[in-house]
Amino acid sequence: MVNILVNLEYYLHKYDNAIDFLTIKGIDRVLRPSLNASQIPELQQNAAFIIGSAAQSNPKVQIAFLEAGFVQSLMWKLDSPISVDVRSKCLYALAAILRNFPEAQNVFFSSGGLEVFSRVFKENPTENLNKIKIKMLTLVQDLLDERDNLDESLPSAAERKIQYDKTDLQDLMKKSGWCQVYKCPDLLGESTQDPLDHDRIEKVVTAMVRIKEICAQDFLQDLELQTTLKNLHSHYTTLMQEEKYTDGVDEGDTDTFFSNLVTS
């Protein structure tokens, strides 16, 4: 069955094939039982992978998956003690359903999606779990950007705005404790000594810059976070100076992520 799902994923990432899959009741015959196969994580993982691949930029499939209850099902799996590999694919699937689909986003938020994400940040860190956390930060950042950058020239713009406005996302982020997830010490590293995961730190800081106005009070009141940012700012300033002298980088090209955060 696992091999069948692997082959099916390749087939269903194509737009028309995914729609055809719906007409033959593929959700109830294949995806739902596989996603709920708690004793066989490989089935769950591949079912989630199929959901994500089929839903990518495919509104008809996104609607069908929302109506099938997959938004809530995937959330529950992210909030359960299953393997990180399964949870990673569940997040991939959930993101594919939510992107550019405000109705699904409203279901996610009203069902406690941010609270589910926040609980993941409280779990003991592992390298693979940290990757999931970063993807969660990026997803929430992208959903914010969707709302702020709505193309009003689109025929569906007015209806989409109505849907977006049903959830006050900025207020929800404050009330749900989302601003607190950045207290997770493994996100930015507990040490300013190399080796640091520069890619992870850049993604976290980018997400923080995006929501700094929403979460300003939480960020400024968190003295430990401020200290970490100041230490990182000092560390990266040193690295940038070294790079400037060794590689001839112009001073104007240096990164201001950390400076902007510390002084905001």
Side-chain angles (χ1 to χ4, degrees):
M1 184 64 180
V2 172
N3 289 334
I4 293 175
L5 291 179
V6 171
N7 293 328
L8 192 59
E9 187 279 328
Y10 176 78
Y11 180 78
L12 293 183
H13 82 276
K14 298 180 181 179
Y15 188 95
D16 291 335
N17 291 345
I19 295 175
D20 290 342
F21 182 72
L22 300 178
T23 64
I24 61 172
K25 302 187 184 300
I27 289 176
D28 291 325
R29 291 179 176 178
V30 179
L31 293 182
R32 198 188 307 278
S34 297
L35 191 63
N36 293 332
S38 58
Q39 301 303 315
I40 312 176
E42 292 83 1
L43 286 181
Q44 293 182 306
Q45 182 176 339
N46 282 281
F49 192 24
I50 289 173
I51 292 170
S53 297
Q56 292 275 2
S57 303
N58 197 327
K60 290 183 179 180
V61 175
Q62 287 176 296
I63 292 170
F65 287 168
L66 173 63
E67 293 175 346
F70 282 163
V71 169
Q72 294 94 330
S73 296
L74 293 164
M75 282 172 47
W76 295 333
K77 292 194 180 301
L78 285 168
D79 203 22
S80 61
I82 57 179
S83 78
V84 173
D85 289 339
V86 174
R87 294 167 85 182
S88 179
K89 284 296 189 287
C90 286
L91 180 59
Y92 165 74
L94 181 62
I97 298 174
L98 296 182
R99 292 186 192 279
N100 297 303
F101 189 9
E103 187 176 352
Q105 293 174 27
N106 288 332
V107 171
F108 171 74
F109 292 128
S110 65
S111 300
L114 285 182
E115 290 84 353
V116 168
F117 280 12
S118 297
R119 285 194 288 274
V120 174
F121 282 80
K122 296 177 182 179
E123 297 181 28
N124 293 329
T126 64
E127 181 178 353
N128 287 335
L129 187 60
N130 282 343
K131 292 178 181 179
I132 291 178
K133 294 175 182 178
I134 298 303
K135 290 177 181 177
M136 287 179 170
L137 294 180
T138 302
L139 175 58
V140 174
Q141 176 185 333
D142 289 347
L143 298 183
L144 269 172
D145 289 340
E146 266 189 42
R147 294 160 180 264
D148 292 345
N149 300 308
L150 179 63
D151 186 351
E152 297 184 359
S153 66
L154 294 174
S156 61
E159 177 60 30
R160 289 171 71 86
K161 188 177 188 308
I162 291 173
Q163 290 291 331
Y164 284 132
D165 288 346
K166 288 182 179 180
T167 300
D168 186 340
L169 184 51
Q170 294 191 13
D171 185 61
L172 182 61
M173 290 171 68
K174 296 176 183 178
K175 292 180 178 178
S176 68
W178 184 248
C179 297
Q180 305 293 319
V181 302
Y182 293 88
K183 289 185 176 182
C184 186
D186 53 291
L187 285 181
L188 291 170
E190 295 179 317
S191 169
T192 57
Q193 302 299 315
D194 282 330
L196 285 175
D197 187 339
H198 303 304
D199 181 63
R200 184 185 77 231
I201 291 173
E202 180 177 353
K203 289 177 180 176
V204 173
V205 172
T206 299
M208 293 181 73
V209 169
R210 176 65 182 84
I211 65 170
K212 67 178 181 180
E213 292 185 4
I214 302 170
C215 300
Q217 185 174 359
D218 292 273
F219 288 171
L220 291 173
Q221 290 179 348
D222 189 338
L223 298 181
E224 184 177 354
L225 176 61
Q226 288 294 313
T227 299
T228 298
L229 290 171
K230 289 177 182 178
N231 289 339
L232 285 169
H233 176 265
S234 176
H235 181 65
Y236 276 93
T237 298
T238 300
L239 290 180
M240 288 187 291
Q241 290 298 322
E242 291 176 356
E243 183 181 49
K244 182 173 67 173
Y245 288 118
T246 58
D247 298 337
V249 176
D250 292 335
E251 187 172 349
D253 292 334
T254 57
D255 196 335
T256 59
F257 277 143
F258 296 97
S259 178
N260 287 341
L261 273 176
V262 173
T263 58
S264 62

